[in-house]
């Protein structure tokens, strides 16, 4: 069968969620093509699938000159280039029996561009945000999920149906050395990872972020790794379709750069390969699904409620039950001081949340399970069509 893997984004953070499946499908005798929309994506895919890259076809897609001109203005309010890549390459996608994607924009191929190809979706991350549980999920033929938490919520919302979804685990974990403990500072101070999201409503960056950096700059008890969601510093203007809000991101003042106890990384591969997650001692964040990767090894979490969310009992904020929640920067020093002491009360919840979020199975990989589910589904689909 002809199976395509589509990577159609501005950044590389989605790639590790589906790329590990490629070599597993090749091992099963499938014909696999990788479709990318920028050189950085292709480099990242090649690095992940080095063992089978020679047996994979790589295809680069682009948009017309007119679309590039429109994108200069349109990109401020919608992912125009991604949508144009889909619309202008429908003929290419039609060659495949199935297209595997890590995001939901690709559903436009079915909903608006009338493409008759099986769409396989693996969410890039395992978070709780409401945007991950939208009706658009219904357009996908097969949805592969990291664990029972996501499956149960999607089933309850009628987003997936029997025979068209499966729990397979988290392919990204297959390519990570989970026992690694990278060091980024030459001292023994506790290291805090600050990982704000980019959403202009949910993210703490807009109203508290600079205050957080200023506080860490003035003290010498902690190291800080500032590694936000890679999209935060990709754009100056951020639009939330979900919350109908637009905000402008300002630069980080030079006085906060080049400090020996603060590492600032606004988008390198280390931001997406769990290097900082494995290196730090305390997590500081808001809405990012990265916190679920963090609890692979239970450690203290602090969440910044910068937008006055009524989060208790809200499934979109379930991760905030795994640590302290504060609503002002002035509360940060005490939260940090008691973080290790309070972790005993949160560790059990973190372990339970990890088990519900990520399916694990002895003797097999998530990518291997995903590949088998894809092949099984397509074979059954072909038999039904015949």
């Amino acid at each position: 069968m002809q199976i395509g893997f589509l990577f159609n984004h501005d950044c590389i953070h989605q790639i590790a969620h589906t790329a590990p499946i490629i070599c597993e499908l090749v091992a099963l005798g499938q014909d696999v093509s990788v479709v990318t929309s920028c050189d950085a994506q292709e480099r990242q895919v090649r690095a992940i699938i080095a063992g089978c890259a020679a047996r994979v076809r790589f295809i680069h897609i682009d948009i017309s000159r007119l679309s590039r001109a429109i994108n200069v203005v349109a990109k401020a309010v919608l992912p125009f280039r991604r949508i144009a890549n889909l619309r202008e390459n429908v003929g290419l996608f039609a060659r495949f029996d199935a297209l595997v994607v890590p995001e939901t924009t690709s559903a436009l191929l079915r909903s608006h561009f009338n493409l008759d190809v099986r769409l396989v979706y693996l969410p890039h991350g395992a978070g709780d945000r409401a945007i991950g549980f939208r009706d658009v999920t219904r357009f996908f033929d097969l949805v592969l999920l990291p664990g029972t938490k996501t499956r149960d919520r999607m089933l309850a919302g009628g987003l997936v149906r029997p025979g068209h979804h499966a729990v397979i685990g988290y392919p990204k974990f297959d390519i990570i050395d989970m026992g690694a403990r990278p060091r980024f500072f030459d001292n023994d101070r506790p290291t805090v990872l600050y990982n704000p999201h980019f959403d202009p409503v949910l993210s703490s960056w807009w109203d508290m972020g600079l205050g957080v950096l200023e506080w860490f700059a003035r003290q010498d008890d902690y190291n800080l790794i500032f590694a936000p969601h890679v999209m935060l510093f990709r754009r100056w203007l951020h639009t939330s379709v979900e919350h109908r809000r637009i905000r402008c991101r300002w630069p980080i003042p030079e006085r906060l750069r080049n400090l020996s106890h603060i590492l600032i990384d606004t988008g390198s591969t280390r931001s997406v390969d769990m290097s900082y997650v494995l290196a730090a001692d305390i997590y500081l964040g808001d809405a990012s699904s990265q916190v679920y990767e963090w609890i692979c090894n239970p450690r203290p979490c602090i969440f910044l409620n910068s937008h006055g969310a009524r989060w208790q009992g809200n499934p979109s904020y379930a991760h905030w039950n795994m640590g302290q929640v504060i609503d002002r920067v002035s509360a940060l020093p005490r939260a940090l001081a008691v973080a290790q002491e309070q972790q005993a009360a949160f560790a059990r919840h973190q372990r339970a949340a990890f088990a519900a979020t990520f399916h694990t199975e002895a003797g097999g990989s998530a990518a291997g399970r995903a590949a088998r589910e894809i092949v099984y589904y397509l074979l059954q689909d072909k038999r039904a069509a015949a």
Side-chain angles (χ1 to χ4, degrees):
M1 289 177 286
Q2 302 283 333
I3 301 175
F5 279 72
L6 174 60
F7 299 101
N8 179 29
H9 202 280
D10 307 333
C11 293
I12 61 172
H13 61 292
Q14 299 178 350
I15 291 173
H17 295 282
T18 57
I21 305 168
I22 295 169
C23 288
E24 298 288 346
L25 282 169
V26 169
L28 292 176
Q30 305 307 310
D31 189 314
V32 180
S33 298
V34 171
V35 182
T36 61
S37 59
C38 72
D39 293 339
Q41 293 169 354
E42 180 172 334
R43 287 194 299 270
Q44 187 71 0
V45 175
R46 286 185 179 275
I48 291 174
I49 67 165
C52 72
R55 300 169 63 188
V56 173
R57 183 185 304 105
F58 284 84
I59 303 170
H60 178 77
I61 58 173
D62 205 345
I63 58 178
S64 67
R65 184 179 300 177
L66 174 60
S67 293
R68 288 196 292 270
I70 296 172
N71 184 60
V72 173
V73 176
K75 66 182 179 181
V77 292
L78 80 163
F80 179 84
R81 189 182 189 94
R82 274 178 264 164
I83 296 170
N85 267 324
L86 297 175
R87 180 176 58 82
E88 296 179 22
N89 291 281
V90 168
L92 167 66
F93 303 139
R95 303 176 194 172
F96 299 114
D97 294 294
L99 201 59
V100 182
V101 301
E103 43 71 49
T104 57
T105 307
S106 300
L108 290 169
L109 290 170
R110 174 70 51 74
S111 64
H112 286 68
F113 304 144
N114 301 314
L115 181 67
D116 184 18
V117 66
R118 296 295 173 257
L119 296 179
V120 180
Y121 169 48
L122 287 84
H124 63 279
D128 302 316
R129 292 173 61 213
I131 199 170
F133 300 89
R134 296 180 299 156
D135 287 348
V136 67
T137 307
R138 296 190 177 98
F139 285 103
F140 294 96
D141 300 285
L142 179 63
V143 181
L144 300 178
L145 300 168
T148 57
K149 178 195 75 174
T150 307
R151 179 202 63 192
D152 293 349
R153 189 170 171 186
M154 285 191 173
L155 280 171
L159 305 180
V160 294
R161 59 197 190 279
H164 294 265
H165 75 277
V167 172
I168 53 94
Y170 203 58
K172 182 175 179 178
F173 286 159
D174 295 344
I175 60 171
I176 302 294
D177 178 2
M178 304 298 279
R181 293 294 179 268
R183 285 182 61 88
F184 295 101
F185 301 95
D186 60 357
N187 61 64
D188 294 323
R189 300 170 186 164
T191 296
V192 178
L193 170 60
Y194 180 31
N195 172 230
H197 201 266
F198 64 87
D199 184 281
V201 172
L202 302 179
S203 174
S204 59
W205 172 252
W206 310 99
D207 297 316
M208 301 172 71
L210 286 178
V212 169
L213 295 188
E214 294 276 10
W215 184 85
F216 276 101
R218 294 193 301 267
Q219 57 77 53
D220 57 7
D221 294 321
Y222 302 92
N223 301 313
L224 176 69
I225 298 173
F226 175 59
H229 190 292
V230 292
M231 286 300 294
L232 179 58
F233 281 78
R234 184 76 178 188
R235 300 171 181 163
W236 290 99
L237 197 65
H238 285 267
T239 303
S240 172
V241 176
E242 180 185 6
H243 300 104
R244 299 179 183 178
R245 182 79 180 272
I246 298 177
R247 298 185 81 167
C248 184
R249 176 195 54 76
W250 301 106
I252 299 173
E254 284 301 316
R255 67 179 180 278
L256 300 177
R257 296 181 178 273
N258 302 314
L259 298 175
S260 62
H261 65 296
I262 296 181
L263 187 164
I264 295 176
D265 186 340
T266 58
S268 79
T269 55
R270 286 176 172 171
S271 294
V272 299
D273 69 4
M274 291 184 61
S275 291
Y276 300 139
V277 167
L278 296 171
D281 303 292
I282 300 172
Y283 180 89
L284 181 63
D286 38 59
S288 176
S289 64
Q290 189 177 92
V291 68
Y292 280 101
E293 297 177 1
W294 172 268
I295 60 171
C296 68
N297 173 22
R299 287 158 291 168
C301 298
I302 301 170
F303 301 102
L304 299 172
N305 184 2
S306 61
H307 55 289
R310 297 179 179 178
W311 60 273
Q312 291 92 340
N314 185 336
S316 296
Y317 293 89
H319 53 291
W320 284 12
N321 291 292
M322 297 191 296
Q324 302 176 73
V325 179
I326 61 176
D327 58 9
R328 58 191 186 282
V329 176
S330 61
L332 181 58
R334 185 178 188 283
L336 289 168
V338 302
Q340 294 296 341
E341 173 189 336
Q342 294 202 8
Q343 174 59 13
F346 293 114
R348 179 179 296 181
H349 185 87
Q350 290 178 3
R351 286 191 289 269
F354 186 85
T357 301
F358 302 111
H359 171 75
T360 56
E361 183 179 302
S365 68
R369 287 189 289 275
R372 291 191 295 273
E373 290 288 349
I374 291 170
V375 171
Y376 176 78
Y377 174 81
L378 293 178
L379 289 174
Q380 292 294 101
D381 185 60
K382 284 183 177 292
R383 291 190 185 110

